[in-house]
């Protein structure tokens, strides 16, 4: 998924770097698109996500979450953000009827803490506060294709393109976003890594799920949880009031869910 804006538009200034194992990019438009204040806000976003990676990465043996999982430290000794993320994971497991979980079973019958399904959306939404503090400035912050946007200074929304899961060179939809978040879960870039936590089996019958909502924290969680529901994804998404969704099935057909309250 990508934010589709006119690259030659002189009003838009872009920045990109690699963080948390994925590309993180920013498009700024308005008063602080190319000012010292705008650049400092980007630097603060980068520093925030670097700190999140040190705390939550499951690929770093010295990360806080891995040390917690190995029993080297207690939850009370961790930064408060760890408790916040675990609480979000537990809430998501409950709301998803168990399809989503931050606890991963291993071959020896034990479980391991893996909050990755919560961390990206939560971290990017949290880091966007530095951009929200920029007056008269629009932003679109993207991490691995999931993004949070604000367009307050113009009638022109950000246009978010959703990749076709069977052909990433094409867009299956373009979503105008003035304020909110868009997240997509699928297997086109990372392979078959999404499972139903209730069974441990890879979800079937589904190609991708895109969720549009007010917060990237829950848009990302809901996209992952819905994908884990497989053929029942649309039924579950209809219970998520306040989010709209696009489900692409394995055969290429689509289902759109308007979750806005009426």
């Amino acid at each position: 998924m990508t934010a589709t804006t006119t690259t030659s538009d002189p009003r838009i200034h872009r920045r990109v770097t690699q963080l948390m194992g994925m590309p993180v990019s920013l498009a700024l438009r308005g008063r602080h698109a190319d000012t010292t204040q705008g650049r400092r806000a980007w630097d603060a976003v980068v520093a925030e996500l670097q700190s999140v990676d040190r705390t939550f990465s499951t690929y770093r043996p010295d990360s806080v979450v891995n040390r917690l999982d190995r029993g080297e430290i207690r939850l009370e000794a961790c930064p408060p953000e760890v408790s916040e993320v675990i609480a979000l994971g537990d809430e998501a497991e409950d709301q998803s009827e168990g399809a989503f979980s931050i606890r991963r079973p291993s071959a020896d019958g034990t479980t391991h803490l893996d909050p990755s399904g919560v961390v990206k959306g939560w971290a990017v939404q949290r880091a966007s506060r530095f951009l929200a503090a920029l007056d008269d400035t629009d932003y679109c912050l993207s991490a691995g294709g999931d993004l949070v946007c604000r367009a307050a200074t113009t009638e022109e929304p950000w246009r978010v393109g959703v990749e076709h899961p069977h052909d990433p060179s094409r867009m299956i939809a373009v979503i105008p976003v003035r304020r909110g978040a868009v997240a997509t879960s699928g297997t086109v870039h990372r392979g078959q890594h999404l499972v139903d936590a209730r069974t441990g089996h890879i979800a079937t019958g589904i190609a991708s799920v895109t969720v549009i909502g007010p917060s990237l924290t829950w848009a990302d969680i809901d996209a992952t949880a819905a994908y884990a529901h497989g053929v029942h994804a649309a039924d579950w998404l209809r219970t998520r009031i306040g989010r709209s969704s696009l489900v692409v099935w394995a055969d290429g057909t689509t289902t759109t869910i308007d979750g806005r309250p009426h």
Side-chain angles (χ1 to χ4, degrees), residues 63 76 131 178 187 198 250:
S63 72
E76 295 79 7
L131 306 171
R178 291 193 54 80
T187 59
R198 296 167 297 189

Side-chain angles (χ1 to χ4, degrees), residues 64-208:
V64 173
V65 76
N66 274 337
R67 294 176 62 209
L68 176 64
D69 185 53
R70 292 192 300 264
E72 296 172 4
I73 54 175
R74 296 174 61 86
L75 183 59
E76 295 79 7
C78 297
E81 293 80 9
V82 176
S83 293
E84 180 180 347
V85 164
I86 290 175
L88 279 169
D90 291 342
E91 184 178 358
E93 182 170 357
D94 179 64
Q95 293 190 17
S96 69
E97 302 165 358
F100 179 101
S101 180
I102 61 171
R103 292 170 178 84
R104 175 172 44 85
S106 62
D108 62 4
T110 61
T111 59
H112 293 281
L113 182 63
D114 183 0
S116 304
V118 172
V119 168
K120 181 175 72 167
W122 167 84
V124 175
Q125 181 67 48
R126 191 169 181 262
S128 71
R129 71 188 187 277
F130 299 110
L131 306 171
L134 297 171
D135 58 310
D136 299 323
T137 305
D138 301 336
Y139 62 85
C140 186
L141 178 63
S142 170
D146 298 338
L147 43 85
V148 57
C149 303
R150 179 183 73 183
T153 67
T154 173
E155 292 301 313
E156 182 182 355
W158 297 102
R159 294 174 59 78
V160 179
V162 180
E163 292 176 345
H164 196 301
H166 299 314
D167 181 4
S169 67
R170 294 192 294 126
M171 298 293 172
I172 197 168
V174 177
I175 303 165
V177 181
R178 291 193 54 80
R179 186 184 297 269
V182 183
T184 295
S185 285
T187 59
V188 66
H189 293 293
R190 294 182 57 195
Q192 295 287 349
H193 67 288
L194 297 169
V195 302
D196 184 339
R198 296 167 297 189
T199 65
H201 296 153
I202 294 171
T204 59
I206 192 165
S208 71

